[in-house]
Amino acid sequence: MAWSSSWLVAVVCAWALMVGTPASAERDGSRVAPHTPAGTQELGLAMGYLLPHRLTVDHTTKQQGVAAMPSWNMVLTDPVGDAWYRGQVVLGAEMVYVEFREPVITHGVGFTPRLKYAFTAMGRFRPYAEFAGGPFWTDLANRIPEQSTEFNFILTAGFGASYFVTNQTAVTVGYRFHHFSNAGTRLPNLGINSSLPLVGVSFFY
Amino acid sequence: MKIGNLTIVVLIAWAVAGCERWMRVVELPTPDTMTLAPVPVSTQKSPVLVLTSLITQNGAPQNPNAELERRLVGLLHESGLFSHTAQVGHAEVPESGHVQARLSIEEHIDPHTGQTAWRGFLIGASMFTLTTFFPMEYDYAARMTLELRRWDGHVRRYAAASEGTAFFHVFGASPLTALELKGKVTEVCLAELRNQLMKDAAFFAANDVAILQGSSRTTTAAASPMVHDSSVSEPAMPRR
């Protein structure tokens, strides 16, 4: 499954590069930053691999697995600021699918609204910081000592960088910290914490 | 089953409402047409450049808008007040008997950035359920002043102003929204300028002197660099 996920990422990236026709950006001789005014919409797909963090002595499970995150985003504002922090506020929503391969093969799916601040002062290279949160269901929870309910909530914070290979297509590399828990609705509720390095591709229109 | 159907209907209605966007454009009152004192016409060969434009956006000078200048030339051509309209470089301008035009545009843009960001945060935190309750706003206002200098030095100044607001929900956002709003506001201003020109048609009627000189009344347009000299008594020279 991990191999098929890797192939999927490779195929999507290759398709994005072909559709984006990088040569066109060079033909017009333009090296200016892509234009993403307020109202620009973005469709993206990111994939990564969850790595566990046992933050307390009570955490014993080493959960890990592949994560896929299709997303939709919208640029809310025109660039604000005049220095290195010049950027745009982006609002979006994301589906999160996780296939836990350790300790047992289980699945998780969630929906998270996302807020992102994308720095636009560096042309085609755009670092960002993001925060997301929402409901998350997983059948891993009742099979491990840390969690007792299948319905949980996921909180995510992270950063990364996007690079516009064309004026409409960008590739992304990033990192997220994930926290799953049920908000104290039932015990035990130690929470599951993970790191998620990810890569992705986005199309802007 | 009925609750399920009702839920589906509500979700569809919510999704449709979330894609809505609309605009409100109003024309602002402007001062009456002004007639300025005649100034001596230079006996030297007149410059080819006839139409210049000066655009400021929130008080900051901007590059001239060639497309807007072409629209204005088209507007002047449609008015029928001038025998020939052309752009500099595409047609010859007679040495005398032409009308010089200068267009000044003051733009004011307010994207309500802070309000939009906070509303986006609230919409996201509400899992998008509050989408239809928090529309985003984008304001655009323009004030255009068209100054026409006749071949004998008489000058007339016409002004028009308009403002508009574009409203849109999150799912209905598009980069075209701001462009559509600007287009509508610009069209209102240009239409008002055309109406004022038509009312003042007699000012541009050829006199006997002009006919004897064999002159043709011409307006030309050029995408010129920013012009900082706004004095009526001095010719508008492009900044190099």
Side-chain angles (χ1 to χ4, degrees), chain A residues 37-41 72 74-78 80 89 91-93 111-115 131 133-135 205, chain B residues 109 111-114 116-117 119-121 123-128 136 138 168-175:
Chain A
T40 301
Q41 309 214 13
W72 164 85
M74 191 201 81
V75 179
L76 282 180
T77 68
D78 286 329
V80 296
V89 179
L91 173 69
F111 173 78
T112 58
R114 182 170 76 161
L115 207 59
F131 175 80
Y205 61 97
Chain B
I109 298 175
H112 297 277
T113 302
T116 300
R119 289 186 174 184
F121 176 78
I123 290 172
S126 70
M127 304 294 287
F128 295 94
M136 312 297 178
Y138 187 97
F168 55 95
H169 292 133
V170 166
F171 302 122
S174 168

Coordinates of all heavy atoms in Angstrom, one line a residue, chain A residues 37-41 72 74-78 80 89 91-93 111-115 131 133-135 205, chain B residues 109 111-114 116-117 119-121 123-128 136 138 168-175:
Chain A
P37 N -4.5 36.8 -6.6 CA -5.3 37.8 -5.9 C -6.3 37.1 -5.0 O -6.6 35.9 -5.1 CB -5.9 38.6 -7.0 CG -6.0 37.6 -8.1 CD -4.8 36.7 -8.0
A38 N -7.0 38.0 -4.2 CA -8.1 37.5 -3.4 C -9.1 36.9 -4.2 O -9.5 37.4 -5.3 CB -8.7 38.7 -2.6
G39 N -9.6 35.7 -3.8 CA -10.6 35.0 -4.6 C -10.0 33.8 -5.4 O -10.7 33.0 -5.9
T40 N -8.7 33.8 -5.5 CA -8.0 32.6 -6.2 C -8.3 31.3 -5.4 O -8.2 31.3 -4.2 CB -6.5 32.8 -6.2 OG1 -6.3 34.0 -7.0 CG2 -5.8 31.7 -7.0
Q41 N -8.7 30.3 -6.1 CA -9.0 29.0 -5.5 C -7.9 28.0 -5.8 O -7.2 28.1 -6.8 CB -10.4 28.6 -5.9 CG -11.4 29.6 -5.8 CD -12.8 29.1 -5.4 OE1 -13.0 27.9 -5.0 NE2 -13.8 29.9 -5.5
W72 N -9.2 21.8 -0.5 CA -9.6 23.0 -1.3 C -9.3 24.2 -0.5 O -9.5 24.2 0.8 CB -11.1 22.9 -1.6 CG -11.7 24.2 -2.0 CD1 -11.7 24.8 -3.2 CD2 -12.3 25.2 -1.1 NE1 -12.3 26.0 -3.2 CE2 -12.7 26.3 -1.9 CE3 -12.5 25.3 0.2 CZ2 -13.3 27.4 -1.4 CZ3 -13.2 26.4 0.7 CH2 -13.5 27.5 -0.1
M74 N -9.0 28.8 -0.5 CA -9.3 30.0 -1.2 C -8.5 31.1 -0.6 O -8.4 31.3 0.6 CB -10.8 30.3 -1.1 CG -11.3 31.5 -2.0 SD -12.8 32.3 -1.4 CE -12.2 33.4 -0.2
V75 N -7.9 31.9 -1.4 CA -7.1 33.1 -0.9 C -8.1 34.2 -0.5 O -8.9 34.7 -1.3 CB -6.2 33.6 -2.0 CG1 -5.5 34.8 -1.5 CG2 -5.3 32.6 -2.5
L76 N -8.1 34.5 0.8 CA -9.1 35.5 1.3 C -8.7 36.9 1.0 O -9.5 37.8 0.8 CB -9.2 35.3 2.8 CG -10.0 34.1 3.3 CD1 -10.1 34.1 4.8 CD2 -11.5 34.2 2.8
T77 N -7.4 37.2 1.1 CA -7.0 38.6 1.1 C -5.9 38.8 0.0 O -5.2 37.9 -0.4 CB -6.4 39.0 2.4 OG1 -5.2 38.3 2.7 CG2 -7.4 38.7 3.5
D78 N -5.8 40.0 -0.5 CA -4.7 40.4 -1.3 C -3.4 40.5 -0.4 O -3.5 40.5 0.8 CB -4.9 41.8 -1.9 CG -5.9 41.7 -3.1 OD1 -5.9 40.6 -3.8 OD2 -6.6 42.7 -3.3
V80 N -0.7 41.5 2.1 CA -0.6 42.5 3.0 C 0.8 42.6 3.6 O 1.5 41.6 3.6 CB -1.6 42.3 4.2 CG1 -3.1 42.4 3.7 CG2 -1.4 41.0 4.9
V89 N -3.8 35.6 3.6 CA -4.5 34.7 4.4 C -5.3 33.8 3.5 O -6.0 34.2 2.6 CB -5.5 35.4 5.4 CG1 -6.2 34.5 6.2 CG2 -4.6 36.4 6.3
L91 N -8.0 30.4 3.4 CA -9.0 29.6 4.1 C -9.3 28.4 3.3 O -9.4 28.5 2.1 CB -10.3 30.4 4.4 CG -11.5 29.6 5.0 CD1 -11.2 29.2 6.4 CD2 -12.8 30.4 4.9
G92 N -9.3 27.2 3.9 CA -9.6 26.0 3.2 C -10.2 24.9 4.0 O -10.5 25.1 5.2
A93 N -10.4 23.8 3.3 CA -10.9 22.6 4.0 C -10.2 21.4 3.5 O -9.8 21.4 2.3 CB -12.4 22.5 3.7
F111 N -12.3 15.5 8.7 CA -12.6 16.7 7.9 C -12.1 17.9 8.7 O -12.6 18.1 9.8 CB -14.1 16.8 7.6 CG -14.5 18.1 6.9 CD1 -14.2 18.3 5.5 CD2 -15.0 19.2 7.6 CE1 -14.5 19.5 4.9 CE2 -15.4 20.4 7.0 CZ -15.1 20.6 5.7
T112 N -11.3 18.7 8.1 CA -10.7 19.8 8.9 C -10.7 21.1 8.1 O -10.1 21.2 7.0 CB -9.2 19.5 9.3 OG1 -8.5 19.3 8.1 CG2 -9.1 18.3 10.2
P113 N -11.4 22.1 8.6 CA -11.2 23.5 8.0 C -9.8 23.9 8.3 O -9.2 23.5 9.4 CB -12.2 24.3 8.8 CG -13.2 23.4 9.3 CD -12.5 22.1 9.6
R114 N -9.2 24.7 7.4 CA -7.8 25.0 7.6 C -7.6 26.5 7.3 O -8.2 27.1 6.4 CB -6.9 24.2 6.6 CG -5.5 24.5 6.7 CD -4.7 23.5 5.8 NE -4.8 23.8 4.4 CZ -3.9 23.3 3.5 NH1 -2.9 22.5 3.9 NH2 -4.0 23.6 2.3
L115 N -6.7 27.1 8.1 CA -6.4 28.5 8.0 C -4.8 28.5 7.7 O -4.1 27.9 8.5 CB -6.7 29.3 9.2 CG -7.0 30.8 9.0 CD1 -8.2 31.0 8.0 CD2 -7.3 31.4 10.3
F131 N -2.9 26.0 10.3 CA -3.5 25.4 11.5 C -4.8 24.9 11.0 O -5.5 25.5 10.2 CB -3.8 26.5 12.6 CG -4.5 26.0 13.7 CD1 -3.9 25.2 14.7 CD2 -5.9 26.2 13.8 CE1 -4.6 24.7 15.8 CE2 -6.6 25.7 14.9 CZ -6.0 24.9 15.9
G133 N -8.2 22.0 12.2 CA -8.8 21.1 13.2 C -10.2 20.7 12.8 O -10.9 21.5 12.1
G134 N -10.6 19.6 13.3 CA -11.9 19.1 13.0 C -12.2 17.7 13.5 O -11.3 17.1 14.1
P135 N -13.3 17.1 13.1 CA -13.7 15.8 13.6 C -12.8 14.7 12.9 O -12.4 14.9 11.7 CB -15.1 15.6 13.2 CG -15.3 16.6 12.1 CD -14.4 17.7 12.3
Y205 N -6.6 28.4 -9.6 CA -7.4 28.9 -10.7 C -8.3 30.0 -10.2 O -8.5 30.2 -9.0 CB -8.3 27.8 -11.3 CG -9.2 27.1 -10.3 CD1 -10.5 27.5 -10.2 CD2 -8.7 26.2 -9.4 CE1 -11.4 26.9 -9.3 CE2 -9.6 25.6 -8.5 CZ -10.9 26.0 -8.4 OH -11.8 25.4 -7.5
Chain B
I109 N -9.2 51.8 -3.4 CA -9.5 50.4 -3.2 C -9.4 50.0 -1.7 O -8.5 50.4 -1.0 CB -8.5 49.5 -4.0 CG1 -8.6 49.8 -5.5 CG2 -8.8 48.0 -3.7 CD1 -7.6 49.0 -6.3
P111 N -10.0 46.5 0.2 CA -10.4 45.1 0.2 C -10.9 44.6 1.6 O -11.2 43.4 1.7 CB -9.1 44.4 -0.2 CG -8.0 45.3 0.3 CD -8.5 46.7 0.2
H112 N -10.9 45.4 2.6 CA -11.4 45.0 3.9 C -10.6 43.7 4.4 O -11.2 42.7 4.7 CB -12.9 44.7 3.9 CG -13.7 45.9 3.6 ND1 -14.1 46.8 4.6 CD2 -14.2 46.3 2.5 CE1 -14.8 47.8 4.0 NE2 -14.9 47.5 2.7
T113 N -9.3 43.9 4.3 CA -8.4 42.7 4.6 C -8.6 42.1 6.0 O -8.8 40.9 6.1 CB -6.9 43.1 4.4 OG1 -6.8 43.6 3.1 CG2 -6.0 41.9 4.6
G114 N -8.6 43.0 7.0 CA -8.7 42.5 8.3 C -10.1 41.9 8.6 O -10.2 40.8 9.2
T116 N -12.0 40.5 6.4 CA -12.1 39.3 5.6 C -11.3 38.2 6.3 O -11.8 37.0 6.4 CB -11.5 39.5 4.2 OG1 -12.3 40.5 3.6 CG2 -11.6 38.2 3.4
A117 N -10.2 38.5 6.9 CA -9.4 37.5 7.6 C -10.2 36.9 8.8 O -10.2 35.7 9.0 CB -8.0 38.0 8.0
R119 N -13.4 37.1 9.4 CA -14.6 36.3 9.0 C -14.2 34.9 8.5 O -14.9 34.0 8.7 CB -15.3 37.1 7.9 CG -16.0 38.3 8.5 CD -16.9 39.0 7.4 NE -17.6 40.1 8.0 CZ -18.5 40.9 7.4 NH1 -18.8 40.6 6.1 NH2 -19.1 41.9 8.0
G120 N -13.1 34.9 7.8 CA -12.6 33.6 7.3 C -12.3 32.7 8.5 O -12.6 31.5 8.5
F121 N -11.7 33.2 9.5 CA -11.4 32.4 10.7 C -12.7 31.9 11.4 O -12.8 30.7 11.7 CB -10.6 33.3 11.7 CG -10.3 32.6 13.0 CD1 -9.3 31.6 13.1 CD2 -11.1 32.9 14.1 CE1 -9.1 31.0 14.3 CE2 -10.8 32.2 15.4 CZ -9.8 31.3 15.4
I123 N -15.6 31.5 9.9 CA -16.3 30.5 9.0 C -15.6 29.2 9.1 O -16.2 28.1 9.2 CB -16.2 31.1 7.6 CG1 -17.2 32.3 7.4 CG2 -16.6 30.0 6.6 CD1 -17.1 33.0 6.1
G124 N -14.3 29.2 9.2 CA -13.5 27.9 9.3 C -13.8 27.3 10.6 O -14.0 26.1 10.7
A125 N -13.8 28.1 11.7 CA -14.1 27.5 13.0 C -15.5 26.9 13.2 O -15.7 26.0 13.9 CB -13.8 28.6 14.1
S126 N -16.4 27.5 12.4 CA -17.8 27.0 12.4 C -18.0 25.8 11.5 O -19.1 25.4 11.2 CB -18.7 28.1 12.1 OG -18.6 28.4 10.7
M127 N -16.9 25.3 10.9 CA -17.0 24.2 9.9 C -17.8 24.6 8.7 O -18.6 23.9 8.1 CB -17.7 22.9 10.6 CG -17.0 22.4 11.8 SD -15.3 21.8 11.4 CE -15.7 20.3 10.6
F128 N -17.7 25.9 8.4 CA -18.3 26.5 7.2 C -19.8 26.6 7.3 O -20.5 27.0 6.3 CB -18.0 25.7 5.9 CG -16.5 25.8 5.5 CD1 -15.6 24.7 6.0 CD2 -16.0 26.8 4.8 CE1 -14.3 24.8 5.7 CE2 -14.6 26.8 4.5 CZ -13.8 25.8 4.9
M136 N -18.1 38.4 2.3 CA -16.9 39.2 2.1 C -17.2 40.5 1.3 O -18.1 40.5 0.5 CB -15.7 38.4 1.5 CG -15.5 37.0 2.0 SD -15.0 37.1 3.8 CE -14.9 35.3 4.1
Y138 N -15.5 43.9 -1.0 CA -14.4 44.5 -1.7 C -14.9 45.9 -2.3 O -15.9 45.9 -3.1 CB -14.0 43.6 -2.8 CG -12.7 44.0 -3.5 CD1 -11.5 43.5 -3.2 CD2 -12.7 45.0 -4.6 CE1 -10.3 43.9 -3.8 CE2 -11.6 45.4 -5.2 CZ -10.4 44.8 -4.9 OH -9.2 45.2 -5.5
F168 N -19.4 38.8 -1.7 CA -19.3 37.4 -2.1 C -19.2 36.5 -0.9 O -18.6 36.9 0.1 CB -18.2 37.2 -3.1 CG -16.8 37.6 -2.6 CD1 -16.0 36.7 -2.0 CD2 -16.4 38.9 -2.7 CE1 -14.8 37.1 -1.5 CE2 -15.2 39.3 -2.3 CZ -14.4 38.4 -1.7
H169 N -19.7 35.4 -1.0 CA -19.5 34.3 0.0 C -18.3 33.5 -0.4 O -17.8 33.6 -1.5 CB -20.7 33.4 0.1 CG -21.9 34.1 0.7 ND1 -23.2 34.0 0.1 CD2 -22.1 34.9 1.8 CE1 -24.1 34.8 0.8 NE2 -23.4 35.3 1.8
V170 N -17.8 32.8 0.6 CA -16.5 32.1 0.4 C -16.5 31.2 -0.8 O -15.5 31.3 -1.6 CB -16.3 31.2 1.7 CG1 -15.1 30.2 1.4 CG2 -15.9 32.1 2.9
F171 N -17.5 30.4 -1.1 CA -17.5 29.5 -2.2 C -17.7 30.2 -3.5 O -17.5 29.6 -4.6 CB -18.5 28.4 -2.0 CG -18.3 27.6 -0.8 CD1 -19.3 27.5 0.2 CD2 -17.1 27.0 -0.5 CE1 -19.1 26.8 1.4 CE2 -16.9 26.3 0.7 CZ -17.9 26.2 1.6
G172 N -18.2 31.5 -3.5 CA -18.4 32.2 -4.7 C -17.3 33.2 -5.0 O -17.4 34.0 -5.9
A173 N -16.2 33.1 -4.3 CA -15.0 34.0 -4.5 C -14.3 33.7 -5.9 O -14.3 32.5 -6.3 CB -14.1 33.9 -3.4
S174 N -13.9 34.7 -6.5 CA -13.1 34.5 -7.7 C -12.3 35.8 -8.0 O -12.7 36.9 -7.6 CB -14.1 34.3 -8.9 OG -13.4 34.5 -10.1
P175 N -11.1 35.6 -8.6 CA -10.3 36.8 -8.9 C -11.0 37.8 -9.9 O -10.7 38.9 -9.9 CB -9.1 36.2 -9.6 CG -9.0 34.8 -9.1 CD -10.4 34.4 -8.9

